[in-house]
Amino acid sequence: MKMYLSNLFTNPDMQEKYLDIFTSSFLPLVKGALYYTIPLTLITFAIGIVLAVITALMRLSNVKFFRGVARAYVSIIRGTPLLVQLFIIFFGLPSLGVTISPFYSAIIGFSLNMGAYNSEIIRAAILSIPKGQWEASESIGMTTAQALKRVILPQATRVSIPPLSNSFISLIKDTSLASTITYTEMFRKSQEIAAQNYEFLLVYSEAALIYWMICVALSFVQDRVENRMERYVAK
Amino acid sequence: MIKVNQLNKYFGDLHVLKDIDMNVNRGEVVVVIGPSGSGKTTLLRSLNILETPESGEITIGERSLDFSRPQKKKQLVEFRKQTGMVFQNHNLFPHLTAVQNVMEGPVTVQKTPKTEAKKKAADILNKVGLGDKLDVYPHQLSGGQQQRVGIARALATGVEVILFDEPTSALDPELVADVLDVMKELAEEGMTMVVVTHEMKFAEEVADRVIFMDQGTIVEEGTPDEVFHSTKEPRTQQFLQRIGQ
Ligand SMILES: Nc1ncnc2c1ncn2[C@@H]1O[C@H](COP(=O)(O)OP(=O)(O)OP(=O)(O)O)[C@@H](O)[C@H]1O
Ligand SMILES: [Mg+2]
């Protein structure tokens, strides 16, 4: 530790070497983020939102069967580790003759996860809309579906943006777990680079830095979106 | 226009409406008064099928519902389209501007083309004195203005009956008159109205008939003069005394 630091601060040769490693791994890592981590995140989040809305509506429906299915789904996903789910999909299913590529395994695993967690967010948001909004919608002749689409969901969307943003940010970081099922996203890329040059601290820190930059950028976007959505709310 | 026959509503064990019979003629303004908890809101909500009574029959216009039989959701929706409702706390859609609130029914329910619906909504808002507030969100309006948008929204789908549940009781006193004026104008135009209110002056001036409810029953009904000034019902007398009439 001491040597590492003193080298870093005093030895110009070492400084140059570290800088070299840093710059030469930066591009592959950013590529890993742009081509793999971010697309995986966006695709699974989109699928996850659709699943989440469907699940939330099933849980709120008055058909017992739908409620039961949705509750079981949420319970199983939330009650088991994401890593275990990914392993079952990627390493387990082949035993049943179902072989899924690392990419699709990751999509399935993360989407199912997002669907379950986000359904709770969306359900809570829908329930937070005052009953009077349903009644006002019905009093002008809307069906339940129309009220949901025109009145309840638009308002629930605003309520759920902050928690959904958090879940999106978690997802970006969780995609690093896809490395364990051999999907070469940014973190796996950093593992590969570090395995060659043995500069684990430097390379992993670099990966961490890139995750952090993405998340900072997203928080910025989140603030903008939230501000836009606030326009109809009393300040 | 409205005919209510032996209507009963329970909340659990609580018998809230007891064998209610009631008639409202086309163009009539009926004011419902009564102590808190007597079932006024529940009666109004039943007319709009926001509550489902356990038994009895309601006829509005050409349509009848018999509540002792199970009802199809679709029928309830169709039935509800005949009446508009104005809520005590307005229940405006906060994510829509005033004019969008008023257009929403025509556009979504009646499939009126947007431009046409918008023009009509603007006319109605103009009529309730809000022609300059079309593109304003509800939270930017005063309580009285919000309530007038609520009335405009109820009118927009071309209903023949409007139900008002204490439309002014959540308002600051100085805002009450504007809302009552709009209601008075509607009454003069021949709208059929059922109004739950504590505004006795409004009732005296505008109502064709006053219904006094207590403990889930209609104790008496008559002209405002009969009910307010020459009632023989001790319960009505007691109520009027308490509210200082
Ligand atoms: N959703 C509900 N669940 C259970 N009880 C209810 C419900 N709504 C109303 N009640 C009860 O039914 C009775 C009648 O209520 P309602 O709101 O119709 O009275 P009201 O005459 O409108 O009173 P107020 O003048 O206070 O508005 C009351 O005892 C009330 O507590
Ligand atoms: Mg009431």
Side-chain angles (χ1 to χ4, degrees):
Chain A
M1 162 94 178
K2 218 165 147 198
M3 214 178 77
Y4 191 92
L5 284 182
S6 69
N7 273 341
L8 192 58
F9 286 119
T10 56
N11 186 332
D13 285 351
M14 292 309 272
Q15 280 175 3
E16 197 168 323
K17 181 188 157 207
Y18 290 140
L19 196 65
D20 221 40
I21 293 174
F22 187 89
T23 44
S24 65
S25 31
F26 192 72
L27 204 60
L29 286 183
V30 169
K31 261 189 184 162
L34 285 181
Y35 294 168
Y36 303 100
T37 297
I38 291 175
L40 179 63
T41 306
L42 289 176
I43 294 170
T44 48
F45 196 75
I47 300 174
I49 289 286
V50 174
L51 270 180
V53 172
I54 294 171
T55 308
L57 293 178
M58 281 171 71
R59 287 208 58 177
L60 294 169
S61 108
N62 40 26
V63 180
K64 207 170 163 190
F65 174 75
F66 288 160
R67 285 203 307 270
V69 170
R71 221 200 321 257
Y73 161 54
V74 173
S75 168
I76 291 169
I77 297 292
R78 292 211 306 178
T80 55
L82 176 54
L83 191 56
V84 175
Q85 294 160 17
L86 290 173
F87 272 43
I88 290 177
I89 296 167
F90 185 68
F91 297 113
L93 289 185
S95 309
L96 297 176
V98 182
T99 307
I100 306 173
S101 74
F103 177 65
Y104 285 112
S105 297
I107 297 267
I108 294 170
F110 290 120
S111 299
L112 285 175
N113 245 268
M114 280 291 111
Y117 279 94
N118 292 346
S119 77
E120 291 292 284
I121 291 173
I122 289 167
R123 186 172 77 106
I126 291 174
L127 289 174
S128 77
I129 307 305
K131 207 167 145 242
Q133 292 292 307
W134 283 101
E135 294 183 344
S137 312
E138 287 173 356
S139 82
I140 56 173
M142 288 191 192
T143 60
T144 306
Q146 288 170 334
L148 199 61
K149 178 164 163 246
R150 303 285 307 173
V151 176
I152 305 300
L153 285 181
Q155 294 182 62
T157 302
R158 189 188 64 80
V159 178
S160 54
I161 288 225
L164 285 180
S165 305
N166 287 338
S167 123
F168 188 79
I169 285 174
S170 299
L171 174 64
I172 292 178
K173 296 174 292 174
D174 286 347
T175 54
S176 60
L177 289 175
S179 63
T180 62
I181 56 169
T182 76
Y183 181 66
T184 312
E185 41 62 72
M186 175 168 61
F187 183 55
R188 193 169 172 90
K189 193 85 217 161
S190 71
Q191 288 176 313
E192 288 173 5
I193 295 170
Q196 284 164 17
N197 61 22
Y198 299 106
E199 291 296 344
F200 297 103
L201 177 63
L202 187 66
V203 178
Y204 290 158
S205 302
E206 200 174 347
L209 182 72
I210 296 173
Y211 278 116
W212 186 41
M213 283 174 1
I214 297 173
C215 291
V216 168
L218 269 173
S219 308
F220 180 74
V221 174
Q222 176 187 355
D223 284 348
R224 297 280 302 257
V225 173
E226 278 172 29
N227 276 333
R228 239 186 81 76
M229 301 289 288
E230 292 295 319
R231 71 190 183 282
Y232 64 79
V233 181
K235 302 252 161 51
Chain B
M1 187 81 221
I2 305 177
K3 195 167 155 56
V4 177
N5 198 3
Q6 294 289 301
L7 199 70
N8 281 285
K9 171 71 194 165
Y10 295 82
F11 285 119
D13 289 338
L14 195 64
H15 198 172
V16 183
L17 295 179
K18 301 172 185 161
D19 293 333
I20 297 285
D21 287 321
M22 180 177 134
N23 278 304
V24 180
N25 298 320
R26 189 178 290 275
E28 209 176 13
V29 177
V30 173
V31 164
V32 181
I33 59 171
S36 181
S38 55
K40 306 181 295 290
T41 296
T42 309
L43 175 61
L44 223 53
R45 289 168 58 86
S46 298
L47 292 176
N48 202 219
I49 330 288
L50 290 173
E51 304 288 354
T52 317
E54 271 70 30
S55 71
E57 211 176 331
I58 300 180
T59 306
I60 295 180
E62 307 287 290
R63 291 173 189 273
S64 261
L65 282 183
D66 179 356
F67 291 99
S68 46
R69 281 197 295 245
Q71 300 296 331
K72 287 222 178 66
K73 182 105 198 203
K74 205 167 155 206
Q75 269 176 311
L76 300 183
V77 170
E78 285 307 312
F79 193 84
R80 194 181 274 138
K81 284 182 187 170
Q82 304 179 104
T83 52
M85 179 101 175
V86 176
F87 299 88
Q88 183 171 1
N89 58 352
H90 67 74
N91 288 340
L92 291 180
F93 305 132
H95 61 303
L96 301 180
T97 61
V99 74
Q100 288 169 338
N101 263 276
V102 180
M103 292 161 64
E104 189 57 43
V107 170
T108 303
V109 178
Q110 298 171 322
K111 315 288 182 205
T112 310
K114 264 201 176 138
T115 42
E116 189 189 325
K118 184 162 186 175
K119 202 173 149 290
K120 207 175 129 209
D123 286 346
I124 300 174
L125 281 170
N126 214 0
K127 198 175 117 185
V128 299
L130 294 173
D132 56 339
K133 301 284 184 191
L134 300 187
D135 298 318
V136 157
Y137 284 97
H139 74 86
Q140 297 165 305
L141 294 169
S142 76
Q145 293 169 336
Q146 290 170 340
Q147 199 54 288
R148 281 182 281 155
V149 177
I151 294 173
R153 180 177 66 181
L155 282 169
T157 45
V159 293
E160 294 187 72
V161 181
I162 299 197
L163 312 167
F164 296 82
D165 189 11
E166 304 200 32
T168 58
S169 62
L171 299 181
D172 292 339
E174 73 270 19
L175 301 176
V176 169
D178 287 342
V179 175
L180 291 183
D181 284 347
V182 168
M183 292 168 62
K184 215 178 287 182
E185 210 177 299
L186 275 180
E188 280 160 12
E189 288 171 12
M191 178 63 76
T192 309
M193 295 162 57
V194 181
V195 187
V196 174
T197 185
H198 295 298
E199 295 291 334
M200 295 304 157
K201 217 173 127 262
F202 172 83
E204 288 228 44
E205 277 179 45
V206 182
D208 298 303
R209 213 142 37 87
V210 175
I211 289 179
F212 174 69
M213 283 185 75
D214 192 20
Q215 295 180 12
T217 59
I218 292 179
V219 176
E220 70 171 312
E221 55 176 291
T223 64
D225 196 47
E226 283 164 359
V227 175
F228 291 146
H229 303 299
S230 49
T231 177
K232 298 195 176 57
E233 285 286 343
R235 280 198 279 180
T236 313
Q237 286 167 350
Q238 202 183 5
F239 173 75
L240 292 173
Q241 217 164 40
R242 210 152 35 81
I243 63 166
Q245 274 283 307

